Amino acid sequence: MRHEPTKQEYSQMVEEMTPKHNSLLNCIRAFFVGGAFCLLGEMIKQTMMKVFDISKKDALLYVTIELVLLSVILTGFNLYGKITKFGGAGGLVPITGFANSVASPAIEYQKEGQVFGIGVKIFTIAGPVILYGIFSAFLAGICYFLGTQWGWIG
Amino acid sequence: MEYVKAFFVGGLICVIVQIFMDHTKLQPGRIMVLLVISGVLLGALGIYEKIEAFAGCGATVPLSGFGFSLWKGMKEAVDQHGFLGLFEGGFTAAAVGTSAALIFSYLASLIFQPKMKQ
């Protein structure tokens, strides 16, 4: 017969099993993973500007497209989750983290159909991000608009 | 040098968010929303522009940079079209990032099969 753990033993077990939050280690990992994505972005930007003679504004858009594509491919091969697991915020904060949160439910829920599976779930994270991004930009835009109208700004 | 700055500032933004996450236990979705809003806010206050000028992609690759570009698009649209710009700027600025994410993700859903959680 198996030994039933007492309450005390059980709480000790829980204590041991719960992953320890090592904040310093988390931060170091986040720094290197997040920094690496930004470094990659900068490399794409410089290459676009110098080799292909593209304006800075367009080069930044190419950076976005290429990082998003990279992230979606990594998500498809189930690798991006590992990056986030290791890097924490380092995998979440860059635009690649956003792309991962779009691609991941799209792949995951494809069995539930084109419209209510992929079509709905693809916006699980993208929806709130776009909504609050657009709305806060709208609010800031109103302040700017009124400011220019009444001669406070510019 | 640009590469070092991008790496360092980008990494630093991630560290700030990591500390925030460790202390608040906020879910990733909320973190992303907060990042975009703070990018818009810092953009409107003229602070993010300075960070971007210093760090390049270290400032634009994090999601706060997405918020910053939303603000830039909004400002340009208001400068050009006045009141109508308020309803144009956001989506124009967000167009490339969100379209890329949606298009590639949809294609990925056609190609890749969901995998069992390990």
Side-chain angles (χ1 to χ4, degrees):
Chain A
M1 211 178 125
R2 279 192 63 205
H3 166 67
E4 286 285 326
T6 65
K7 230 175 188 172
Q8 203 180 357
E9 280 173 335
Y10 184 74
S11 53
Q12 202 186 339
M13 268 166 65
V14 170
E15 185 94 347
E16 280 166 11
M17 297 295 279
T18 314
K20 291 274 187 301
H21 259 297
N22 189 334
S23 213
L24 182 67
L25 188 65
N26 284 350
C27 287
I28 293 169
R29 285 172 170 176
F31 180 79
F32 280 100
V33 173
F37 277 120
C38 295
L39 177 64
L40 183 62
E42 187 67 33
M43 282 159 76
I44 297 170
K45 185 179 109 186
Q46 299 288 345
T47 311
M48 284 293 168
M49 285 166 72
K50 282 174 190 154
V51 181
F52 298 100
D53 202 25
I54 290 169
S55 72
K56 192 190 141 198
K57 196 181 172 190
D58 286 357
L60 285 176
L61 295 175
Y62 277 107
V63 170
T64 303
I65 294 173
E66 282 165 39
L67 285 182
V68 166
L69 179 63
L70 171 74
S71 168
V72 171
I73 292 171
L74 288 175
T75 306
F77 286 110
N78 244 12
L79 295 171
Y80 202 87
K82 287 179 184 133
I83 296 176
T84 312
K85 205 172 176 189
F86 177 80
L92 214 67
V93 171
I95 191 87
T96 46
F98 173 70
N100 166 255
S101 72
V102 180
S104 173
I107 296 169
E108 200 69 29
Y109 288 95
Q110 52 179 275
K111 291 278 184 296
E112 289 181 26
Q114 287 290 321
V115 174
F116 293 107
I118 301 169
V120 171
K121 301 289 192 204
I122 204 168
F123 280 104
T124 310
I125 302 287
V129 169
I130 294 168
L131 169 65
Y132 291 106
I134 296 279
F135 191 70
S136 55
F138 176 76
L139 289 181
I142 286 183
C143 297
Y144 179 70
F145 177 69
L146 293 178
T148 49
Q149 292 294 304
W150 294 339
W152 296 338
I153 310 168
Chain B
M1 195 58 204
E2 289 132 339
Y3 297 116
V4 180
K5 285 180 187 169
F7 183 87
F8 189 80
V9 173
L12 203 63
I13 294 175
C14 295
V15 169
I16 294 167
V17 175
Q18 182 70 52
I19 293 171
F20 188 70
M21 278 169 72
D22 283 348
H23 284 85
T24 58
K25 309 262 184 291
L26 278 179
Q27 290 152 334
R30 288 168 200 256
I31 297 281
M32 287 186 193
V33 169
L34 283 174
L35 268 169
V36 172
I37 294 175
S38 40
V40 171
L41 193 67
L42 290 174
L45 294 173
I47 299 167
Y48 214 86
E49 209 165 352
K50 285 173 190 145
I51 305 175
E52 202 247 318
F54 176 77
C57 282
T60 54
V61 167
L63 261 186
S64 44
F66 183 67
F68 171 58
S69 70
L70 281 177
W71 157 251
K72 267 198 311 190
M74 182 60 80
K75 187 169 174 285
E76 274 170 31
V78 169
D79 284 340
Q80 279 171 13
H81 293 154
F83 181 76
L84 266 184
L86 290 172
F87 295 89
E88 257 175 8
F91 267 111
T92 311
V96 171
T98 42
S99 298
L102 290 175
I103 292 165
F104 294 142
S105 295
Y106 183 71
L107 290 174
S109 80
L110 300 178
I111 298 166
F112 296 104
Q113 295 300 313
K115 302 222 167 63
M116 295 297 288
K117 290 247 155 58
Q118 284 160 349

